[in-house]
Amino acid sequence: MSILRTFFRTLRTSPVQLPPIRPRPFPMAAVDTITGTLAKLGLHESASIEGAYPKYNVVDVMRCYITEELHKLSGIAPEIIFPALDTPSTLDKGDLLVPLPRLRLPKGTDFKAKADEFAKAFPNDGYLSEVRAEGQFLQFFFAPKALYGLVFKDVLTRGTNYGYLPIGEGKKVIVEFSSPNIAKPFHAGHLRSTIIGGFLSNLYEKAGWDVTRFNYLGDWGKQFGLLAVGFERYGSEELLTSDPINHLFEVYVRINKDITEEGEITGGTNDQAREYFKRMEDGDEEALKIWKRFRDLSIERYIGTYARLNIAYDVYSGESQVSQEKMNEVIDLFDKKGLVHEDRGAKLIDLTKFNKKLGKCLVQKSDGTSLYLTRDVGEAIKRYDNYKFDKMVYVIASQQDLHTAQFFEILKQLGFDWAKKMEHVNFGMVQGMSTRKGTVVFLDNILEETKQKMHEVMQRNEAKYAQIEDPDKIADLIGISAVMIQDMQSKRINNYEFKWDRMLSFEGDTGPYLQYAHSRLSSVQRKAGISEEKLLAANYDLLSEPEAVNLARVLAQYPDIIKKALKTNEPSTIVTYLFSLTHIVSSCYDTLWVAGQEEDLATARLALYASAKQVLYNGMVLLGLTPVERM
């Protein structure tokens, strides 16, 4: 079946409608626009191409066209050409380019000469403004008029769904992230897992996957025996009710101090904690009652913090949810597969025979109690039985690379085919994260301080401040943006240094700057008073300025950016794109005025700004931010 036939068949139905973040009254006019454009491209018979989504991605429309024409010129199969067409790093290198070595040309081919030959022979039909040979690269520049008619209507029509790609339709993914330890405050170390995991969950949904968000809490182990012993000595019912997490943390610190001062004495605090946890594992009702209370109070407080970060979990699980029966099954499985050996009553697995780097790992203590690794295995088996997932993603710090690799290898050696569907997304550490007073930091403290600082900045402009309905809420949203963007700007594997001055700046590439850019675009649209229906019918031929052309080119890239981020699991891919977009929008303000212009020109220019606002909004929401309309 030809690319064209496949494409037209899919266009007979409306694009997939995700649950809208805000209502969009537009009809699906973009589909008709794309249909009409494709009908004029004259595509001929060729094999259908895997990974092409022209119904959803304007750049794929042009990819399909270029693929077909280059196929006719070269005889190279479309399935080789299409994936070789890449997005250049900068606009001066084109909208798409292809390195000729990727086209599998005959050995000895002069790539430079062949690039010149293809560039000269490529048809000049109004859809490409230029095909340029640059060394061994072919660079393709989209014709502005063809681009305008596709991009603006597509963005304005799809609204919050612009960028959606049906890559994972019909597939299930579990994303496990954050996973704090009960009774310990939500500290800076959990921030990265939380916001990266939140982003990945949104990203997979934007790519059509059915996503289940899991928070696998550290809610089991000897430390809970220790906490229970500590609460008996130092606990306060009043403080437990009013501020459970911080109070339990204070108790935990005091009881650990007792252990340090005692040393390893028989019958001391350490032994008492072990005995208490053994009672928990044996199902002692009184011991479990206290533990459950600590757990429930902690989760209740966590939910509020997650809500500030636009995160809601589908499942709060934890080590405690893996039953003793399941643990026994897992140990039996280890035995049946001949994986374990005993050493002084403890059970270990030697993974060096499968991978020398993985070493040996303890799976059961000599007293019969389970370990974190064993419970992970039991939990994974239970999840596959319950969800039959197509992928499971663990967002865990790079410090746990060895543990995760051991965990995956054990599942593989147990013979589970689905073990290959599991993926570890790791990340570096936050360095120097403390309050402005220099004290140890918990996330709630950081969010409160950023909110206060943003409030102070907002109050400096009394006129604008008076127009904001809920300044406290807006200050909080901008502060959260500051924290999250500083975290997501760099490659996730890199450590980064937490810097207050940099994070809180409204200048340069920061979270507050993104919020400012969105609020300014909102102001332009608000003041113009032009209806959304008129924007769809705008005369885009009036947009002749190079700034308008460049903005349309960048807006067209957004679905491709989604695809790229999905391959790399990198929030920085989206962040970098949004800053590039806002920089181009900023350059437009000097020449593309809306106020005071004739209606047709004002409408065309506002369509451009409204499209930019929509894409900026979509990207910010994808990252987990809440864009503000005024600030």
Side-chain angles (χ1 to χ4, degrees), residues 341 343 348-353 355-363 373 402 406 410:
H341 68 273
D343 184 357
L348 299 94
I349 295 179
D350 183 2
L351 293 172
T352 56
K353 44 190 161 182
N355 184 329
K356 290 182 180 179
K357 295 179 181 179
L358 297 183
K360 296 179 181 181
C361 49
L362 186 65
V363 294
L373 182 59
L402 176 60
Q406 289 174 334
I410 288 172

Side-chain angles (χ1 to χ4, degrees), residues 187-189 430-443 445-447 449-450 483 486 496-501 503-504:
H187 61 77
V430 186
Q431 298 169 333
M433 195 171 188
S434 61
T435 63
R436 283 184 288 174
K437 296 176 183 177
T439 56
V440 66
V441 64
F442 299 131
L443 185 60
N445 302 133
I446 288 289
L447 296 182
E449 286 201 38
T450 52
V483 173
Q486 179 171 228
Y496 78 90
E497 188 176 354
F498 184 86
K499 293 182 178 179
W500 278 100
D501 292 344
M503 181 183 71
L504 299 174

Side-chain angles (χ1 to χ4, degrees), residues 430-499:
V430 186
Q431 298 169 333
M433 195 171 188
S434 61
T435 63
R436 283 184 288 174
K437 296 176 183 177
T439 56
V440 66
V441 64
F442 299 131
L443 185 60
D444 280 337
N445 302 133
I446 288 289
L447 296 182
E448 283 304 311
E449 286 201 38
T450 52
K451 180 174 78 171
Q452 290 169 18
K453 179 64 176 176
M454 289 304 148
H455 215 148
E456 292 168 13
V457 174
M458 288 162 56
Q459 287 174 319
R460 292 173 193 165
N461 189 324
E462 293 182 11
K464 285 187 177 181
Y465 187 78
Q467 296 174 6
I468 299 172
E469 288 185 13
D470 190 345
D472 192 64
K473 180 181 178 181
I474 298 302
D476 191 36
L477 294 176
I478 299 170
I480 288 168
S481 300
V483 173
M484 292 176 69
I485 291 299
Q486 179 171 228
D487 190 285
M488 294 190 282
Q489 267 182 299
S490 302
K491 298 285 186 184
R492 58 180 163 74
I493 196 59
N494 295 337
N495 298 336
Y496 78 90
E497 188 176 354
F498 184 86
K499 293 182 178 179

Side-chain angles (χ1 to χ4, degrees), residues 583-616:
H583 296 163
I584 291 174
V585 169
S586 183
S587 70
C588 290
Y589 290 135
D590 294 332
T591 53
L592 303 179
W593 300 341
V594 175
Q597 306 304 304
E598 292 184 2
E599 185 177 2
D600 285 353
L601 182 59
T603 302
R605 287 178 174 177
L606 187 62
L608 181 145
Y609 287 126
S611 299
K613 178 193 169 186
Q614 185 66 66
V615 175
L616 178 57

Side-chain angles (χ1 to χ4, degrees), residues 10-11 15 21 135 139 153 156 209 241 247 294 300-301 397 413 432 437 454 461 573 621:
T10 60
L11 283 175
I21 294 167
Q139 299 173 344
K153 283 192 176 179
L156 295 173
W209 289 75
T241 304
H247 180 54
F294 291 167
E300 187 179 338
R301 182 56 63 91
Q413 294 307 324
K437 296 176 183 177
M454 289 304 148
N461 189 324
T573 300
V621 169

Side-chain angles (χ1 to χ4, degrees), residues 8 94 172 265 270 277 326 362 390 406 422 448 471 501 529 587:
F8 280 134
K172 295 179 181 179
I265 60 170
N270 236 335
F277 178 56
K326 177 60 74 175
L362 186 65
D390 296 282
Q406 289 174 334
M422 296 165 71
E448 283 304 311
D501 292 344
S587 70

Side-chain angles (χ1 to χ4, degrees), residues 372-424:
Y372 189 76
L373 182 59
T374 320
R375 291 193 287 272
D376 272 353
V377 172
E379 172 70 9
I381 294 170
K382 185 174 77 169
R383 284 188 201 173
Y384 188 76
D385 289 343
N386 291 341
Y387 292 90
K388 296 295 187 289
F389 54 78
D390 296 282
K391 181 184 277 195
M392 183 152 63
V393 177
Y394 292 83
V395 185
I396 306 173
S398 56
Q399 292 170 317
Q400 297 296 319
D401 283 356
L402 176 60
H403 168 85
T404 310
Q406 289 174 334
F407 167 39
F408 288 4
E409 185 64 33
I410 288 172
L411 286 168
K412 178 183 171 184
Q413 294 307 324
L414 288 174
F416 294 115
D417 289 339
W418 48 264
K420 60 181 178 287
K421 299 178 179 180
M422 296 165 71
E423 183 176 358
H424 176 202

